[in-house]
Amino acid sequence: MANTVVIGAQWGDEAKGKIVDYLAGEADVVVRYNGGNNAGHTVMVGSETYKFHLIPSAILYPDVTPIMADGMVIDPKVCLSELDGLVKRGVVIDNLRISRNAHVIMPYHPLQDRLEEEQKGGKAIGTTARGIGPAYADKASRIGIRMGELVDPKRFKARLTEIMKFKNALIEKVYGAEPMSESAIYEEYSEYAQKLRPFVTDTNFIVAEALAQGKKLMFEGAQGTLLDIDYGTYPFVTSSHTGAGGACIGTGAGPRAIERIIGVGKSYTTRVGAGVFPTELLDETGCYIRERGHEYGTTTGRPRRCGWLDTVAIRFSAMVNGMTGLSLTLLDVLGGLDTLKICKAYKCDGVETTNLPGDWDSITECVPVYDELPGWQEDISGVRKFEDLPANAQAYVRHVESLVGIPVEYISVGPERTQTIVR
């Protein structure tokens, strides 16, 4: 296995968790490099279903070292809850390593998240209200608390005292809410720190040593390219680098360490929250896809907006990530539809383009241009070879390849680990 980055090619929720889990069995080290518990990865192994928000799904492999790296923001309470749940199910967690440099989501971050969204009213971003954005904002403003500080009692106390003066002033004077108790936060989070301390270390050196020894690494991204803080549909984006570049920024691995970049995209398109969505279906077909695909958020439970596959967006993702291959997920969901559509271009101000407009806001005025393909009625969930797919399903995959310009290497035909076609 070449050192591989797995990224989302759309607006997140592309079933990256399944693909990461599928590939993790070939890796020695799996590194989650961005985001926090605003992500949700669902993995099915046989009859067992696991839902991950922070912990890399590779923890299900006892011989793999899962790392929560520098670029993440970590809610200690959520992290410990996930770990406790895994232990109760017999999963070994001793191999987990957490970066000293990862920032901590403190209780004032979700509060600030909610208060900011309330102030925006009809212009709210539609965040998960988990405190992700405020935690990254504090990181950039140099008033964040890192895991290395959290697990050091003296440093944590001094840092918290310093920050709480600013945070309570913000909460009271700007948002008009009640201040938070510094002593209560210190007591609660000191308990979390004691439990997490054995996992916290300098993960940069673990990654560097693994690379020097020729071990196989996989870098796991959260959310999707179109939610990237730089390349996404700003301002309706997340607060981290979700693309392949984030694998370097968030782990300490240099660009030359990356040999393969797999983009994960659904066979259709979904999105959670507000923002542009050219191929959205507000009709029976959209509802059909939502129910067939169980399109409700792993983290929030919110129903996802559904639409036809948008290859204009995926081509953009392929370009900015340097994608070497595509994993096409949930192909089975499209079964039963007589006609399928794939967006190949946009018509903006009467001019057809295959490139995303430079200004995301202008896309709201663009109309998708579709190719239509015949659908299939067969159940493909049991298929394991590409040539055994119905002819129309094969044609759909090949058409996606021709429009995106990169090979489809993996096809998912169901949620379980083995329901994967490798080409």
Side-chain angles (χ1 to χ4, degrees):
M1 173 184 172
N3 292 335
T4 302
V5 179
V6 178
I7 57 98
Q10 297 162 314
W11 279 287
D13 307 310
E14 302 100 343
K16 292 184 298 297
K18 177 192 169 173
I19 301 304
V20 168
D21 171 71
Y22 183 83
L23 296 175
E26 303 174 26
D28 299 304
V29 180
V30 175
V31 190
R32 165 85 183 269
Y33 62 81
N34 77 298
N37 56 307
N38 55 337
H41 290 175
T42 301
V43 174
M44 283 188 65
V45 184
S47 61
E48 294 287 321
T49 300
Y50 299 87
K51 293 182 182 294
F52 297 96
H53 300 280
L54 283 171
I55 311 298
S57 54
I59 202 165
L60 298 177
Y61 292 92
D63 297 328
V64 175
T65 299
I67 293 176
M68 298 166 66
D70 311 43
M72 291 188 66
V73 288
I74 299 171
D75 187 321
K77 185 176 182 179
V78 174
C79 186
L80 287 167
S81 176
E82 282 194 36
L83 289 173
D84 289 344
L86 289 168
V87 170
K88 289 176 182 177
R89 299 177 70 173
V91 177
V92 177
I93 64 171
D94 296 345
N95 282 351
L96 178 67
R97 298 292 180 265
I98 301 174
S99 171
R100 289 182 181 277
N101 295 336
H103 277 246
V104 182
I105 296 177
M106 298 297 293
Y108 44 76
H109 289 134
L111 174 61
Q112 188 177 340
D113 208 347
R114 292 192 296 272
L115 293 171
E116 286 180 359
E117 286 284 88
E118 288 171 6
Q119 278 203 353
K120 291 173 183 174
K123 294 185 178 181
I125 301 297
T127 75
T128 59
R130 300 296 195 269
I132 310 301
Y136 275 114
D138 282 2
K139 175 180 179 177
S141 298
R142 297 175 293 279
I143 57 169
I145 295 175
R146 304 206 286 186
M147 290 298 298
E149 294 170 319
L150 176 71
V151 300
D152 183 325
K154 290 183 179 179
R155 292 171 66 201
F156 177 48
K157 177 65 174 174
R159 192 79 169 127
L160 183 64
T161 297
E162 175 188 353
I163 293 169
M164 285 304 296
K165 293 176 183 177
F166 170 76
K167 286 296 178 181
N168 272 335
L170 179 70
I171 291 168
E172 288 186 275
K173 296 177 181 179
V174 175
Y175 298 115
E178 292 295 317
M180 304 187 79
S181 168
E182 178 188 330
S183 60
I185 292 173
Y186 179 75
E187 183 177 349
E188 179 183 359
Y189 278 68
S190 293
E191 292 183 12
Y192 299 152
Q194 184 177 354
K195 294 178 181 178
L196 288 172
R197 191 173 293 115
F199 302 104
V200 177
T201 188
D202 293 313
T203 58
N204 299 134
F205 293 101
I206 298 176
V207 172
E209 184 177 356
L211 290 169
Q213 293 176 351
K215 292 185 177 180
K216 294 170 284 188
L217 280 78
M218 181 167 63
F219 300 89
E220 173 184 356
Q223 289 90 38
T225 300
L226 301 182
L227 292 175
D228 185 271
I229 187 66
D230 288 323
Y231 299 109
T233 49
Y234 194 87
F236 300 99
V237 293
T238 192
S239 301
S240 63
H241 299 284
T242 62
C248 298
I249 296 170
T251 68
R256 289 189 299 173
I258 297 170
E259 300 167 306
R260 185 171 69 146
I261 300 167
I262 300 297
V264 183
K266 285 176 178 171
S267 300
Y268 46 95
T269 308
T270 64
R271 181 166 194 178
V272 172
V276 61
F277 187 171
T279 65
E280 184 172 11
L281 293 169
L282 302 174
D283 57 13
E284 291 183 3
T285 302
C287 292
Y288 177 88
I289 292 173
R290 181 180 300 110
E291 297 309 313
R292 284 266 298 181
H294 308 290
E295 293 296 350
Y296 296 88
T298 303
T299 299
T300 64
R302 288 184 294 183
R304 297 177 183 135
R305 300 157 65 190
C306 298
W308 295 119
L309 182 64
D310 186 342
T311 62
V312 178
I314 293 183
R315 275 196 302 275
F316 176 79
S317 293
M319 178 183 72
V320 298
N321 287 299
M323 280 162 45
T324 59
L326 184 65
S327 173
L328 201 59
T329 64
L330 291 108
L331 186 64
D332 54 302
V333 171
L334 296 180
L337 293 171
D338 294 329
T339 302
L340 303 174
K341 294 183 180 182
I342 301 177
C343 174
K344 64 178 179 180
Y346 298 156
K347 183 170 285 188
C348 306
D349 295 326
V351 178
E352 189 170 311
T353 178
T354 57
N355 294 331
L356 280 177
D359 180 6
W360 285 109
D361 286 342
S362 67
I363 297 178
T364 59
E365 306 300 323
C366 295
V367 177
V369 179
Y370 291 111
D371 281 337
E372 292 193 11
L373 289 82
W376 60 90
Q377 303 301 315
E378 299 92 331
D379 178 5
I380 64 172
S381 61
V383 176
R384 299 295 179 269
K385 294 182 180 180
F386 182 73
E387 55 268 25
D388 292 337
L389 286 171
N392 288 349
Q394 293 184 41
Y396 186 86
V397 173
R398 290 195 178 100
H399 199 66
V400 171
E401 287 181 317
S402 69
L403 290 173
V404 177
I406 58 174
V408 173
E409 296 187 23
Y410 303 95
I411 301 167
S412 176
V413 293
E416 209 275 325
R417 181 186 286 172
T418 61
Q419 290 179 295
T420 307
I421 297 170
V422 181
R423 296 178 71 205

